[in-house]
Amino acid sequence: MALSSLIALVVSLVGAVLSPVVSLVATVLLVALIAWGWPAASGIAELRGIKNVLAHSVIFALCGWAGCALVYLAPTGKLLTLLPAVVAVGVVVVFLAELVRGEGAAARLESTISGAVGVFTAVSASGWVGMALIHHRTETGASVWGAGAILALCIGIVGARMIAAGPEGGLRRGAMTLGVTPVAFLGVLGYAGTLVIDRVIAWLP
């Protein structure tokens, strides 16, 4: 899990520095990994007695990829206003998916909570694309690498807690997803940090 987290952080940072297109591809793959493994990482698949929760995986992937597309195509400053709308739609779809399962379905409450967090995590990953766009526009590496250093510290704290809270003896894909989740989850925080650092640099003589 620690190795997965480290690889995801390095790939996301390098992608953000190289170009927005590379960052977009890296983030799309990151979202795919989250969608693939989140039901196992959260323990929902085990609670429901199945190996995969296909409906949740599809919702996570579509929401995460929609967030990536919006960040890449929309003006950079609109990121923090557009992404909450994607999250809101995703959460509503998760509720509907759980309602369709019918009355008395196993682990419905847990599935709903897990689904909402999964949507938020997948969409938050698109913040890395926002960091890449800022770096490409300003050509100031300090903004991306400075935010990356802040993220590394946050991941060290938050990631350790998330990994410790994971189910024991779960599937390998769940462990991998749990490792990369802190990197994706803090994508928007990285974007916000990049904006702040970029503006401070712009004010310096």
Side-chain angles (χ1 to χ4, degrees):
M1 287 187 285
L3 180 61
S4 299
S5 182
L6 178 61
I7 292 175
L9 176 61
V10 171
V11 170
S12 297
L13 276 174
V14 171
V17 171
L18 288 179
S19 75
V21 174
V22 175
S23 179
L24 178 64
V25 172
T27 306
V28 165
L29 294 176
L30 187 63
V31 169
L33 180 57
I34 293 170
W36 173 59
W38 182 255
S42 62
I44 292 304
E46 184 178 359
L47 282 176
R48 290 169 57 168
I50 55 179
K51 292 184 178 180
N52 299 296
V53 185
L54 182 59
H56 281 203
S57 293
V58 171
I59 294 170
F60 301 155
L62 292 178
C63 289
W65 291 339
C68 290
L70 283 174
V71 173
Y72 186 75
L73 298 174
T76 304
K78 296 292 185 179
L79 173 62
L80 297 180
T81 58
L82 291 175
L83 294 188
V86 178
V87 173
V89 171
V91 171
V92 170
V93 175
V94 168
F95 273 104
L96 293 177
E98 291 305 313
L99 287 175
V100 169
R101 293 176 60 203
E103 185 177 354
R108 172 179 284 173
L109 176 60
E110 294 88 344
S111 295
T112 302
I113 296 173
S114 172
V117 175
V119 168
F120 184 61
T121 304
V123 175
S124 294
S126 60
W128 287 104
V129 182
M131 292 174 64
L133 290 171
I134 292 178
H135 175 64
H136 181 70
R137 187 190 74 237
T138 62
E139 297 183 353
T140 54
S143 58
V144 171
W145 290 108
I150 296 172
L151 275 178
L153 178 61
C154 292
I155 289 172
I157 299 173
V158 178
R161 294 291 298 173
M162 294 186 68
I163 291 173
E168 297 181 2
L171 298 174
R172 180 170 296 181
R173 61 188 174 91
M176 292 172 58
T177 300
L178 198 60
V180 305
T181 293
V183 180
F185 188 74
L186 296 171
V188 169
L189 178 60
Y191 172 75
T194 301
L195 279 179
V196 172
I197 296 173
D198 182 56
R199 290 174 181 175
V200 169
I201 293 175
W203 290 337
L204 293 176

